[in-house]
Amino acid sequence: MQAAVDWVNGWVWSPALVYLCLAVGLYFSIRTRFMQLRHMGGMLGQMFRGKSSAAGVSSFQALTIALSGRVGTGNIAGVATAIGFGGPGAVFWMWMVAFLGAATAYVESTLGQIYKTEHHGLYRGGPAYYIEKGLGWRRYALVFALATLVACGVLLPGVQTNSIAAAMENAFHIAPAVSGTIIVILLGLIIFGGVRRIAQVTQIVVPFMALGYMLAAAVVVVLNIEQLPGVIVLIVSSAFGAEAGFGAMMGLAIQWGVKRGVYSNEAGQGTGPHAAAAAEVSHPAAQGLVQAFSVYIDTLFVCTATALMILIAGTYNVTGADGAPVFTGLANISAGTGFTQAAMESVLPGFGAMFVAVALFFFAFTTVLAYYYIAETNLAYLTRNIRADGLMFGLRIALIGSALYGCIRTSDLAWGLGDIGVGVMAWLNIFAVLALRRPALLALRDYEAQQAKGRLQPDFDPRPLGIENAAWWVERAQGRKRRA
């Protein structure tokens, strides 16, 4: 099975997708006039505006739901894997895909808001919704919904729980089956409580886990601060093949940096718009800005913390395209969580590996919660005209089963299946947002025009902008006019 998975991945993650992600991010950065720089203050301000309602969650809750999907095993094991197969230069390309991807995240998340709908008392939205409403491509939307349902409901949860089980076994000698049982119980308690319980959990756990992890990483960096300038030089020079030891790895650095960057921050993948659509905001662009900043949190903050720890401590190995070792700093340890645990152990002996295992548990577990929410949203899209209580129950059981199975299968197979899921979603969503970019760009101009007139919290009416089929926002604008 591993050979078949690797063959499919060779097609899905061909260089075409790698460079397409970078090109689309650059294109949207230019079209939005680098909104990821111009609106930095607005991103921070919008995070804490807006309150939850009976149908939606607050901007901050939507941010934490999205972050729970973005910040996961990719931030610990994924970064280590990128370094292991792409060299230190892969970190630079992760930064690039995050910077450019923030513009992509803005576009897709704003589209999620524009074309959201209310279904059984809850806001629902995402690529399937904006593909059908904005482009009229109903069959394409059905394909995306089915692909995402399989990816997030079956393929991706196992990647996260596999890393949890491996880290727990390494740090605490807990058998994978025991870790799997604990995960299953906790998942059941939360996902059977619905979207609101997921939001309540993530808004507490996500900020705590991200800040705690970055503070611990800062300790490692500060205690080895004299090495930091050299590590930064190593990252940049290796990214362009200028470092003697990694001179022949520029192509691999780009490939693995972009691949793991997209996997980690999910910009363009189509996951972020699901959480963005659930937010209760006065203007779609406001949530687009929040979701753009979530890419920064994921990669520029959390992934960078992992990379600096590993590179400063020297606890990594690099393998070339031919499988031959290029650099060996940690003998007999394969690329993954072990790099990060060893880095933390080098500074905090007896504590580091356990801390990373606990951090990875929270990172990966909340990501599984986000996957469930995304899968549920797409199942709701597919079954919006019928009663689907039985199918929703079946989805929960399937996701829990996938999480349990992920704890005991090999990491190569888990990552391979996860890569297929991420890649297929990225291919489908990127073409959709390219075709449907205009409403998101118009929304940004409208938002900026209202702010220029002194309105701190702009309102949104799609009709004067020529945006069609945004029924929820039209109804809201009409209601606001009647009350006035």
Side-chain angles (χ1 to χ4, degrees), residues 93-105:
W93 293 106
M94 291 184 76
W95 292 341
M96 285 302 299
V97 82
F99 174 72
L100 298 176
T104 306

Side-chain angles (χ1 to χ4, degrees), residues 75 123 230 301 457:
N75 296 80
Y123 294 149
F301 298 164
Q457 280 296 94

